[in-house]
Amino acid sequence: MPPSCKSKCHGGPGYASPQDVIEGPREEVLFVTAPHAADGPDAIFTVDVNPDSDKYCQATEKRSHLIVPCLNSDRIYVINVEDERNIYLQHTIEPSKLHALNLSFPHTSHCLADGNIMISTLGEADGKPSGNFLLLDGKTFEPKGTWPADGKVVPFNYDFWYQPRRNIMISTEWGSPNHIKKGFNPAHVPEGLYGNSVHIFEWDSKKHLQTIDLPMPHGALPLEVRFLHEPTSENAFVGCALGSAIYRVHPNEQNPSSQVATMVSAIPSKKVSGWCLPEMPALITDILISMDDRFLYVSCWLHGDIRQYDISDPVNPKLNSQVYIGGSIHSESEVKVLDEDTVIPALYVKGRKIEGGPQMVQLSLDGKRLYVTTSLYKKWDDQFYPSHTKTGATMLQVNIDPTTGKMELNTEFLVDFGKISGGPYLAHEMRYPGGDCTSDIWI
């Protein structure tokens, strides 16, 4: 029952603007969700990222408030993190309470200004695809109902981001929960079991306004969505996993009351041998925007690279830096890239071979350090990186030059979730105690 995207709910991060965040103190700990690689219980770890600490790069398992939805079990855990180094399980929302609302497969959570917590759900109680949003009471953590005012659902769901000053919310699409759980079958995409659309909602009225169908093949599986942090910005970016493309969602110049999606970058598939298909997509599984809205980070789980785009001009993103972390096409892989002479060396950090590829990313608030984990979803890990589920996931750190933005792997930082007692674990999502680039929204 892997934990999916989670949020930290409290009385506010204490920062009036993104710039205040950037000038704040350095991060000391990260909370990391870690499904078990075999049949053991999943875990939440506190990872010490303070280089002056005697527990630097160590993960502590403990059981305020992190909201942790679990895809497979339909449970939602509430973790108390008031003492960030001694966190504990405070409350559990059982599957029956979601099923009573005909909901399942909870994923992304955000805290709302009215004190409620909103969680995207991908399925009906029986696992058939249906995009909806669960509301939790921010004090009791009990379900209050669903968010859409008219009860309207969308065909698929996954991530969502709202921009209150623009009175807009955007949601994305993954696929059918019953089929996701069985692993990825490419034939299911043309059969309509995975999505290629983004949905536009009016924030204050909670009404669905528009569906934008992203052209195939580039628009396949639009997963993560991020607005720029500047609260009046009209620009959002969407990363399409299978399509390996980035779209900018923005107002239609001819009709500003509606939105359009413009493709601003596409990563070509690689012609390969020794793999399940003749061409391998990059598989964009996470995107992140730096707090100063300067850079967009894109993780390519199969190709193995993290790409950093300069989005100072959101209309014309430019690739600025690139770093490789694992992936499927390195020098020790059985997969061979055709028609390319450059060979990416396998990555070893402190003697540990890095399996899997760059999946979830989290950036320090000052933009100088990027943290990376390597697990996507256990069933899909089994399929694409079978050795990864045997050895466990890793967490790595990439240093960012504050002037040029150039990325460079920190070869002295490694958290090995395969060596933690009770493991191996598959490290996934990361969150800071006081807010971060992937959860903070200014109202």
Side-chain angles (χ1 to χ4, degrees):
M1 51 180 183
S4 55
C5 294
K6 64 189 189 311
S7 63
K8 179 166 189 305
C9 295
H10 42 41
Y15 298 108
S17 69
Q19 185 58 40
D20 286 346
V21 174
I22 295 169
E23 296 172 357
R26 177 178 172 138
E27 71 280 1
E28 293 192 1
V29 300
L30 271 167
F31 299 125
V32 183
T33 62
H36 200 279
D39 298 321
D42 300 337
I44 302 287
F45 292 95
T46 299
V47 176
D48 195 318
V49 294
N50 179 357
D52 296 325
S53 169
D54 59 1
K55 295 186 181 298
Y56 182 55
C57 288
Q58 292 184 29
T60 302
E61 180 185 6
K62 302 288 181 184
R63 277 291 257 179
S64 178
H65 296 100
L66 283 173
I67 308 302
V68 187
C70 297
L71 298 178
N72 288 358
S73 71
D74 296 339
R75 284 188 177 85
I76 300 172
Y77 294 108
V78 180
I79 311 294
N80 189 300
V81 295
E82 291 177 347
D83 179 352
E84 61 195 35
R85 295 181 186 273
N86 292 284
I87 64 178
Y88 63 92
L89 177 64
Q90 178 173 320
H91 185 66
T92 303
I93 301 167
E94 294 294 343
S96 59
K97 294 186 177 181
L98 274 68
H99 297 170
L101 296 168
N102 200 25
L103 305 175
S104 69
F105 223 63
H107 189 264
T108 300
S109 61
H110 280 294
C111 300
L112 310 186
D114 62 6
N116 289 319
I117 300 157
M118 184 163 149
I119 302 175
S120 63
T121 57
L122 279 63
E124 296 180 345
D126 60 3
K128 293 178 181 177
S130 175
N132 210 329
F133 301 90
L134 171 68
L135 283 179
L136 299 182
D137 186 290
K139 293 182 179 179
T140 66
F141 303 111
E142 286 297 316
K144 297 179 65 173
T146 55
W147 179 80
D150 51 9
K152 181 182 171 101
V153 299
V154 291
F156 297 103
N157 208 358
Y158 185 69
D159 195 19
F160 71 99
W161 196 279
Y162 62 99
Q163 195 80 319
R165 297 193 197 180
R166 305 293 306 183
N167 198 26
I168 185 175
M169 185 185 87
I170 301 175
S171 69
T172 60
E173 297 187 334
W174 189 4
S176 162
N178 285 341
H179 294 83
I180 291 171
K181 291 178 182 179
K182 297 176 182 178
F184 180 64
N185 182 345
H188 288 163
V189 177
E191 292 175 4
L193 295 171
Y194 287 89
N196 67 297
S197 302
V198 295
H199 304 280
I200 310 299
F201 294 82
E202 187 174 54
W203 182 244
D204 60 3
S205 70
K206 306 178 182 180
K207 290 183 179 179
H208 177 266
L209 299 180
Q210 183 184 355
T211 293
I212 303 175
D213 296 324
L214 304 179
M216 297 290 280
H218 288 122
L221 279 68
L223 296 186
E224 306 290 343
V225 56
R226 303 283 185 265
F227 265 102
L228 268 64
H229 297 288
E230 201 289 309
T232 64
S233 175
E234 62 186 21
N235 291 292
F237 290 94
V238 173
C240 296
L242 190 62
S244 301
I246 301 292
Y247 283 82
R248 180 175 71 97
V249 181
H250 57 96
N252 186 335
E253 292 183 1
Q254 283 70 45
N255 180 15
S257 63
S258 65
Q259 303 287 311
V260 294
T262 304
M263 189 172 73
V264 293
S265 181
I267 303 171
S269 295
K270 294 183 181 292
K271 295 181 179 180
V272 295
S273 63
W275 200 60
C276 57
L277 295 172
E279 293 192 1
M280 178 188 290
L283 206 74
I284 296 174
T285 52
D286 197 15
I287 64 173
L288 177 151
I289 295 176
S290 61
M291 196 61 75
D292 61 2
D293 291 335
R294 181 185 176 193
F295 293 122
L296 171 71
Y297 292 88
V298 176
S299 60
C300 303
W301 194 56
L302 291 179
H303 285 184
D305 57 325
I306 297 175
R307 294 177 170 229
Q308 179 205 69
Y309 292 87
D310 186 330
I311 55 169
S312 302
D313 176 7
V315 177
N316 297 294
K318 296 179 180 179
L319 182 63
N320 186 66
S321 186
Q322 190 175 12
V323 64
Y324 280 85
I325 294 176
S328 295
I329 54 173
H330 54 72
S331 58
E332 296 182 14
S333 168
E334 295 180 358
V335 178
K336 303 302 176 186
V337 180
L338 309 177
D339 304 327
E340 286 189 20
D341 295 329
T342 302
V343 178
I344 306 300
L347 178 62
Y348 288 80
V349 177
K350 302 180 80 169
R352 166 66 143 93
K353 182 180 179 181
I354 304 303
E355 305 281 1
Q359 212 289 98
M360 301 307 294
V361 292
Q362 187 58 262
L363 187 67
S364 63
L365 300 180
D366 61 8
K368 297 179 181 179
R369 292 165 299 282
L370 184 73
Y371 298 93
V372 188
T373 55
T374 54
S375 172
L376 173 59
Y377 178 67
K378 183 178 182 297
K379 195 68 177 180
W380 292 33
D381 284 17
D382 282 336
Q383 186 174 356
F384 293 103
Y385 295 108
S387 60
H388 189 228
T389 55
K390 295 181 176 65
T391 61
T394 52
M395 177 177 164
L396 306 167
Q397 185 191 78
V398 176
N399 291 327
I400 314 294
D401 186 288
T403 302
T404 66
K406 181 181 178 181
M407 297 188 292
E408 184 177 0
L409 182 69
N410 179 357
T411 57
E412 296 302 315
F413 184 101
L414 172 71
V415 182
D416 188 343
F417 287 84
K419 291 185 176 179
I420 295 175
S421 176
Y425 292 98
L426 299 173
H428 184 69
E429 185 65 278
M430 297 167 284
R431 288 286 189 267
Y432 296 130
D436 47 61
C437 294
T438 53
S439 61
D440 278 10
I441 294 174
W442 275 265
I443 60 174

